[in-house]
Amino acid sequence: KQEVTQIPAALSVPEGENLVLNCSFTDSAIYNLQWFRQDPGKGLTSLLLIQSSQREQTSGRLNASLDKSSGRSTLYIAASQPGDSATYLCAVRPDSGGGADGLTFGKGTHLIIQP
Amino acid sequence: ETGVTQTPRHLVMGMTNKKSLKCEQHLGHNAMYWYKQSAKKPLELMFVYSLEERVENNSVPSRFSPECPNSSHLFLHLHTLQPEDSALYLCASSQGTSNYEQYFGPGTRLTVT
């Protein structure tokens, strides 16, 4: 059974710092990996999607990497801002031979950026 | 706005009530999903529909009954729920199955009393 772990569970840093969030998964048979942001009481906003054949994706100040063979992904946030404060979720889509599987999520990293 | 809407946003119901959650996607997608987010637990997949047919039921109790009348709408019918069913219920959609990005709605916060 696929398990996704996110470290750290919580992180608080001053504004302007660069930071890295970590995600690991136990089964490397995945279609893709997706990073989401969730604000309190809200739904999920997709940040980046990395296909299993890709090594990284970038969007603005965000960069996500994927090492499928070792079961790891990182989300790099450059020049952090108070508006980046949220819970960041990592999720993998299993490669089940063409079946319509949903995502398996980690518990998330609760990020606070101090002004 | 992600193009996926959910109603109601908040729901309080007793254990003997029957209610329904509604999800609508305006993205032209053909796959839809229900997820459950409980406190201190990861998001859990409940149901997957592809082209209006259920393709996965993730061992969900029968007191939860999904319905997908067309590719734009998804319902979750609730009856005789338990207090531990209180959670945030999230709907998502994707263009196809397997390798497509999922877009999530804002969720319905359900409290069972």
Side-chain angles (χ1 to χ4, degrees), chain A residues 29 31-32 92-104, chain B residues 30-35 44-59 74 92-100 102:
Chain A
Y31 270 121
N32 56 51
V92 297
R93 189 73 174 265
D95 180 354
S96 60
D101 293 317
L103 297 172
T104 300
Chain B
N30 57 30
M32 297 186 77
Y33 312 79
W34 280 116
Y35 289 87
E44 301 170 89
L45 177 68
M46 300 176 73
F47 300 103
V48 180
Y49 275 82
S50 176
L51 297 172
E52 302 154 38
E53 289 190 16
R54 187 192 306 180
V55 295
E56 183 161 334
N57 173 357
N58 222 21
S59 302
L74 184 65
S93 70
S94 61
Q95 184 175 348
T97 59
S98 301
N99 214 21
Y100 292 92
Q102 290 190 19

Side-chain angles (χ1 to χ4, degrees), chain B:
Chain B
E1 289 292 330
T2 62
V4 181
T5 59
Q6 290 186 243
T7 55
R9 294 295 307 279
H10 301 272
L11 178 63
V12 179
M13 60 184 290
M15 289 189 284
T16 58
N17 291 159
K18 292 184 180 180
K19 296 286 184 183
S20 296
L21 309 185
K22 178 183 176 182
C23 175
E24 183 174 359
Q25 58 96 0
H26 312 274
L27 301 169
H29 291 169
N30 57 30
M32 297 186 77
Y33 312 79
W34 280 116
Y35 289 87
K36 176 184 179 181
Q37 188 175 35
S38 305
K40 300 182 181 180
K41 292 178 67 176
L43 265 149
E44 301 170 89
L45 177 68
M46 300 176 73
F47 300 103
V48 180
Y49 275 82
S50 176
L51 297 172
E52 302 154 38
E53 289 190 16
R54 187 192 306 180
V55 295
E56 183 161 334
N57 173 357
N58 222 21
S59 302
V60 178
S62 59
R63 57 186 183 269
F64 295 91
S65 175
E67 178 189 3
C68 188
N70 55 61
S71 60
S72 299
H73 294 86
L74 184 65
F75 295 90
L76 188 63
H77 303 300
L78 316 171
H79 63 98
T80 60
L81 294 191
Q82 304 299 311
E84 59 264 30
D85 296 322
S86 299
L88 181 67
Y89 289 84
L90 291 160
C91 173
S93 70
S94 61
Q95 184 175 348
T97 59
S98 301
N99 214 21
Y100 292 92
E101 189 172 3
Q102 290 190 19
Y103 294 82
F104 282 76
T108 294
R109 173 66 64 185
L110 173 67
T111 302
V112 182
T113 60

